[in-house]
């Protein structure tokens, strides 16, 4: 059942496994997510600062508008000339327009802050998912290593349609392939075949 021409050098397999583990431990994605999170926080702080500035400006303009209204009332009470009242009305209209523009800017910044909050939450979820994936992968690697050291068998987990893998003979530094077809064997026969391959 074992084809001698398919034997593999164990040293090369171990070297390949180490390279694979090193590749899987690469934390570029985590670094990228952290960088995105830091940038998101910086932009959010800047937006909050602009928000406070605009809020203060709106309050100043509201105070000016109230002062203009008071002056108009005083001018009307003192029967000031029509020209002065017209000037005050124009000034009031300009201040109202400025306030409207500032309110619109404030709304845009508030929307940006909300969007940044959503992005930060999404990045945090991705970071947590990536961390869990790394933990699951490390756990799977440790299980695979344990199985290989106890049974001298390394299963092939990529093809679920068949039972296959490699038998490691450490003394001879040889790696032999094996393959079982579950559709042609009963579960009992499959288990017996695997037990016969295990070298304790």
């Amino acid at each position: 059942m074992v084809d001698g021409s398919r034997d593999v050098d164990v040293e090369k397999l171990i070297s390949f496994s180490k390279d694979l583990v090193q590749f899987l431990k690469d934390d570029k994605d985590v670094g990228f997510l952290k960088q995105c999170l830091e940038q998101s926080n910086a932009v959010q702080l800047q937006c909050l600062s602009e928000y406070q500035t605009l809020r203060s400006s709106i309050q100043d303009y509201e105070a000016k508008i109230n002062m203009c209204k008071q002056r108009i009332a005083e001018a009307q009470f003192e029967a000031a000339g029509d020209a002065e009242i017209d000037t005050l009305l124009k000034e009031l209209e300009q201040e109202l327009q400025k306030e409207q523009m500032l309110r619109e800017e404030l709304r845009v910044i508030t929307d940006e802050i909300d969007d940044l909050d959503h992005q930060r939450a999404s990045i945090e979820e991705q970071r947590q998912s990536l961390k869990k994936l790394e933990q699951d992968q490390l756990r799977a690697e440790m299980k695979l290593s344990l199985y290989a050291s106890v049974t001298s068998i390394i299963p092939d987990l990529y093809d679920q349609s068949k039972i296959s893998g490699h038998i490691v003979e450490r003394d001879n530094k040889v790696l032999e392939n094996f393959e079982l077809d579950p559709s042609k064997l009963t579960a009992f026969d499959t288990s017996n075949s695997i037990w016969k391959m295990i070298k304790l």
Side-chain angles (χ1 to χ4, degrees):
M1 178 172 137
V2 177
D3 184 1
S5 65
R6 297 173 69 186
D7 292 349
V8 178
D9 188 347
V10 173
E11 296 296 331
K12 289 182 180 179
L13 177 66
I14 292 173
S15 174
F16 174 75
S17 299
K18 288 180 180 178
D19 292 342
L20 179 61
V21 169
Q22 188 62 34
F23 175 76
L24 293 172
K25 286 183 178 177
D26 192 358
D27 60 345
K28 287 182 181 176
D29 290 340
V30 174
F32 176 74
L33 290 175
K34 286 181 181 176
Q35 183 181 5
C36 289
L37 189 59
E38 289 172 1
Q39 290 176 352
S40 174
N41 288 337
V43 173
Q44 186 175 19
L45 286 175
Q46 182 180 356
C47 288
L48 286 173
S49 175
E50 291 180 10
Y51 173 84
Q52 295 296 336
T53 302
L54 286 173
R55 189 77 176 166
S56 176
S57 297
I58 287 174
Q59 290 174 351
D60 291 343
Y61 279 109
E62 285 177 345
K64 289 179 181 179
I65 288 169
N66 290 334
M67 187 174 65
C68 287
K69 288 179 179 177
Q70 184 179 359
R71 287 172 62 187
I72 289 172
E74 290 174 358
Q76 288 175 339
F77 181 77
E78 295 172 0
D82 291 339
E84 184 178 354
I85 291 175
D86 288 342
T87 302
L88 290 173
L89 287 172
K90 287 179 183 178
E91 187 178 342
L92 175 63
E93 183 63 28
Q94 289 175 353
E95 296 297 334
L96 287 171
Q97 289 177 358
K98 288 179 183 177
E99 181 191 19
Q100 183 64 31
M101 289 173 55
L102 285 172
R103 285 189 183 279
E104 182 61 25
E105 287 183 31
L106 182 64
R107 185 191 64 77
V108 170
I109 289 177
T110 302
D111 291 344
E112 288 179 1
I113 290 174
D114 291 340
D115 185 50
L116 285 172
D117 282 337
H118 291 308
Q119 288 181 16
R120 183 173 62 177
S122 176
I123 289 172
E124 184 64 25
E125 287 176 6
Q126 291 178 15
R127 190 175 69 82
Q128 291 296 333
S129 296
L130 186 60
K131 184 177 179 182
K132 184 179 183 305
L133 185 63
E134 288 175 349
Q135 290 173 346
D136 291 344
Q137 187 159 353
L138 179 61
R139 195 175 295 115
E141 289 173 7
M142 292 173 68
K143 281 183 182 179
L144 186 62
S145 176
L146 176 66
Y147 296 155
S149 65
V150 171
T151 65
S152 298
I153 293 178
I154 301 174
D156 182 4
L157 303 177
Y158 296 104
D159 189 353
Q160 301 295 324
S161 65
K162 61 185 178 181
I163 298 172
S164 61
H166 310 285
I167 303 170
V168 179
E169 294 184 12
R170 295 182 183 175
D171 296 336
N172 299 330
K173 294 185 178 180
V174 173
L175 187 72
E176 299 177 2
N177 296 328
F178 75 89
E179 181 177 321
L180 301 173
D181 189 351
S183 64
K184 295 180 181 178
L185 297 172
T186 65
F188 179 77
D189 291 337
T190 302
S191 296
N192 274 344
S193 297
I194 292 174
W195 273 111
K196 288 176 183 177
M197 287 186 277
I198 294 176
K199 302 183 184 307
L200 298 176

